[in-house]
Amino acid sequence: MDNLAYDQILLDHGSGGKLSHALTRDLVLPHLSNDLLDQLDDGAVFDLKGGRLAFSTDSYTVDPLFFPGGDIGELAINGTVNDLAMCGAKPLYLSLALIIEEGFPTADLERILASVRESANAAGVKVVTGDTKVVPKGAVDRIFINTAGIGLVDTGVSVGGHLARPGDRIILSGSIADHGITVMTQREGLAASDALASDTASLNHMVADMLASSKNIHVLRDPTRGGLGTTLNEIAQQSRVGMRIGEAKILVRPEVAGVCELLGFDPLYLANEGKLIALVAPEDAPEVLAAMHRDPAGQEAAIIGEVVAQPPGRVILETAIGGERIVDMLTGEQLPRIC
Amino acid sequence: MDNLAYDQILLDHGSGGKLSHALTRDLVLPHLSNDLLDQLDDGAVFDLKGGRLAFSTDSYTVDPLFFPGGDIGELAINGTVNDLAMCGAKPLYLSLALIIEEGFPTADLERILASVRESANAAGVKVVTGDTKVVPKGAVDRIFINTAGIGLVDTGVSVGGHLARPGDRIILSGSIADHGITVMTQREGLAASDALASDTASLNHMVADMLASSKNIHVLRDPTRGGLGTTLNEIAQQSRVGMRIGEAKILVRPEVAGVCELLGFDPLYLANEGKLIALVAPEDAPEVLAAMHRDPAGQEAAIIGEVVAQPPGRVILETAIGGERIVDMLTGEQLPRIC
């Protein structure tokens, strides 16, 4: 295998010529081979029964590339799988575009590709088309990844950020801020609890069970960049509704809460990579919660509040000590390159 | 508009919070607004009649960002539109993912977005979903763009790199090496002819006319990175056929040929961004050529050679002075960051 001759990625690996083909054949395909990707045409072509399609994209620039609980490859698959699931879609096909800095260790690329494969298998999606660019030293920090994805939305499913209604229960699938705090402490070399780990996970199987359990799920959203606080504000603005949430009902792991307190971070604004928010008609909330509890990703799902009519666009937190405060959208950047 | 308060992109513009929303609302949507993108959900959801779908992606890292004949925004649209067209598809929907370096001039971003809009309009495609990341200074060189795209392949259309057959005519849509030489001379600050310009263009309308003119187009491919020489080798390998092409039939503009000779570049290996190769059954070649000549992008289309049975995987160039030489795949990287 040609790749064994190189322990670093060279500019030539991005030339489009011989070494580019060797990289694809010897490194990428052994991990990601499938009948569509193997064709190596300019794109993948496949049959899809007609219907409602979901289409989404995200770039991943996380630093460090490897962290407790995951790595950039796993994030890149789970992130786009989850974005499709939040559209109410069953994710099917993904693209994978790598931008690699000259000199990047081949072993690290192999590790990332193995992680891409495992995450794609776990989510039940296929990487069917891709692109690899290699840029000179200094033009990118090690490796950035973009994925885009296509999913199918079943008839009868209609979710969207503009569909929240007063009375809807706000369900959160588990603890918050795990990903943000883990990546931040790793990057800054802070001595933190060994218990910290990213929550990165694909949520599409849980979402499929949730959608099967109720026709009255109005909004699905994963609180990634900007965190739970920003995501709830987005929905409140899109739907022109208010929200009331209870601080005591929002799960923050003690080790995460400890680091947040020490460093002055608000867990409401830290990124999550394996959590979702569902806004559900009150009569269906028990069934949806039960479906979530049956899934590994939803063991700790709980109702954290509800949608109210007034004041539109405003999210109110009932604090643990009995007060109230407005939860605004994130202002300023707490943690760049978190995903 | 919030964006007028900032003449540079800040890290906060990528936070997922308030400034991220301002960037999307005040900079992106004014250029790219459409009913699907405006929803601002995690992905776009749309109806598509069933059938064969094409799906493709590419990242764009070109340096310089602006060059005679185009810019990174136009490349990002045309490149993915063309990849879909090369699958025999009608391109419909694109994603747009920006990775921006902190401090990037807002005016340059506006100019790129305007270019994205114009190119998408010209190609008749919609940008329906996107992502913006901002990374700290030094983590990326100014701006990289990824696009992915979805297109529909009509019933009866079947093109692919593995479908070339002995006897097929090899049609090239116009002159080669314009893009590669233009970007290279601009980047290196070489005094070159004012006549040099990138050929970046969307080819999907021409491809639609070509496919309407013949059921016997076997291969469509755009010779981007690696150039005509590498692309022909790819097809020869995928289809296990040989090829013979005539040097005298391959158009190289005099100003391009001059720079190539001066600097020792072989135009066969330089990137094109608005050209295609079609491999067509001999009886249909006249109709396909006629269809190409009716399109602005195919005015100079010509048959440059034909597919032969032996030796498989080998491309032979009949030189202008009557000799023969093997055209191998590009080895080594001539020009990084050409697209």
Side-chain angles (χ1 to χ4, degrees), chain A residues 32-244:
Chain A
L32 302 179
S33 175
N34 62 56
D35 52 337
L36 290 167
L37 190 64
D38 295 354
Q39 305 249 343
L40 297 180
D41 277 321
D42 284 326
V45 175
F46 43 83
D47 284 302
L48 205 64
K49 68 177 173 65
R52 284 186 84 65
L53 238 64
F55 182 33
S56 186
T57 190
D58 253 320
S59 299
Y60 300 85
T61 65
V62 67
D63 172 30
L65 300 174
F66 305 95
F67 44 81
D71 60 37
I72 190 172
E74 187 172 353
L75 273 192
I77 297 297
N78 291 343
T80 293
V81 161
N82 290 347
D83 278 347
L84 292 170
M86 298 310 126
C87 298
K90 182 185 176 206
L92 296 174
Y93 298 111
L94 260 56
S95 65
L96 177 77
L98 310 170
I99 303 178
I100 309 173
E101 185 181 24
E102 175 188 17
F104 188 71
T106 307
D108 284 352
L109 182 57
E110 291 241 42
R111 197 173 151 198
I112 290 167
L113 289 170
S115 179
V116 163
R117 178 189 62 224
E118 284 160 29
S119 316
N121 286 346
V125 297
K126 272 188 185 179
V127 174
V128 295
T129 190
D131 177 52
T132 304
K133 293 284 190 298
V134 182
V135 296
K137 253 197 190 305
V140 76
D141 183 13
R142 290 164 289 157
I143 185 169
F144 289 173
I145 300 181
N146 176 282
T147 49
I150 298 176
L152 261 181
V153 184
D154 273 347
T155 319
V157 170
S158 173
V159 298
H162 60 294
L163 297 175
R165 296 178 208 169
D168 280 354
R169 298 300 185 257
I170 303 170
I171 303 178
L172 175 64
S173 67
S175 63
I176 62 168
D178 299 270
H179 179 78
I181 276 296
T182 302
V183 170
M184 192 273 294
T185 52
Q186 287 286 318
R187 184 165 62 208
E188 307 303 333
L190 297 172
S193 164
D194 287 348
L196 290 182
S198 168
D199 60 342
T200 179
S202 57
L203 302 172
N204 55 318
H205 299 308
M206 180 168 76
V207 167
D209 290 343
M210 292 165 66
L211 291 170
S213 78
S214 163
K215 297 288 167 216
N216 295 299
I217 298 176
H218 300 143
V219 182
L220 290 168
R221 196 62 72 87
D222 55 340
T224 54
R225 266 188 300 175
L228 177 66
T230 300
T231 304
L232 289 177
N233 269 279
E234 285 171 2
I235 301 168
Q237 288 181 11
Q238 283 183 273
S239 293
R240 297 167 207 280
V241 295
M243 295 188 189
R244 298 188 70 86

Side-chain angles (χ1 to χ4, degrees), chain B residues 138-169:
Chain B
V140 76
D141 183 15
R142 290 164 290 158
I143 185 169
F144 289 174
I145 300 182
N146 176 282
T147 49
I150 297 176
L152 261 182
V153 185
D154 273 347
T155 318
V157 170
S158 173
V159 298
H162 61 294
L163 297 175
R165 296 178 207 169
D168 280 354
R169 298 300 185 260

Side-chain angles (χ1 to χ4, degrees), chain B residues 71-224:
Chain B
D71 60 37
I72 190 172
E74 187 172 354
L75 274 192
I77 297 298
N78 291 343
T80 293
V81 162
N82 290 347
D83 278 348
L84 292 170
M86 298 309 126
C87 298
K90 182 186 176 207
L92 296 174
Y93 298 111
L94 260 57
S95 65
L96 178 77
L98 310 170
I99 303 178
I100 308 172
E101 184 181 25
E102 174 189 16
F104 188 70
T106 306
D108 285 351
L109 182 57
E110 291 242 43
R111 196 172 151 198
I112 290 167
L113 288 170
S115 179
V116 162
R117 179 190 60 224
E118 283 160 31
S119 317
N121 287 346
V125 297
K126 272 189 186 178
V127 174
V128 295
T129 190
D131 177 52
T132 304
K133 294 284 189 298
V134 181
V135 296
K137 253 198 191 303
V140 76
D141 183 15
R142 290 164 290 158
I143 185 169
F144 289 174
I145 300 182
N146 176 282
T147 49
I150 297 176
L152 261 182
V153 185
D154 273 347
T155 318
V157 170
S158 173
V159 298
H162 61 294
L163 297 175
R165 296 178 207 169
D168 280 354
R169 298 300 185 260
I170 303 170
I171 303 176
L172 175 65
S173 67
S175 62
I176 61 169
D178 299 271
H179 179 77
I181 274 298
T182 302
V183 170
M184 193 272 293
T185 51
Q186 287 286 317
R187 183 164 64 208
E188 307 303 334
L190 297 172
S193 163
D194 286 349
L196 290 182
S198 167
D199 60 341
T200 180
S202 57
L203 302 172
N204 54 318
H205 299 307
M206 180 169 75
V207 167
D209 290 343
M210 293 166 66
L211 291 169
S213 77
S214 164
K215 295 291 167 214
N216 295 299
I217 298 175
H218 299 142
V219 182
L220 290 169
R221 196 63 73 85
D222 56 340
T224 54

Side-chain angles (χ1 to χ4, degrees), chain A residues 160-162 221 238, chain B residues 29 34-43:
Chain A
H162 60 294
R221 196 62 72 87
Q238 283 183 273
Chain B
L29 286 187
N34 63 55
D35 53 338
L36 290 166
L37 191 64
D38 294 354
Q39 305 249 342
L40 297 181
D41 277 321
D42 284 326

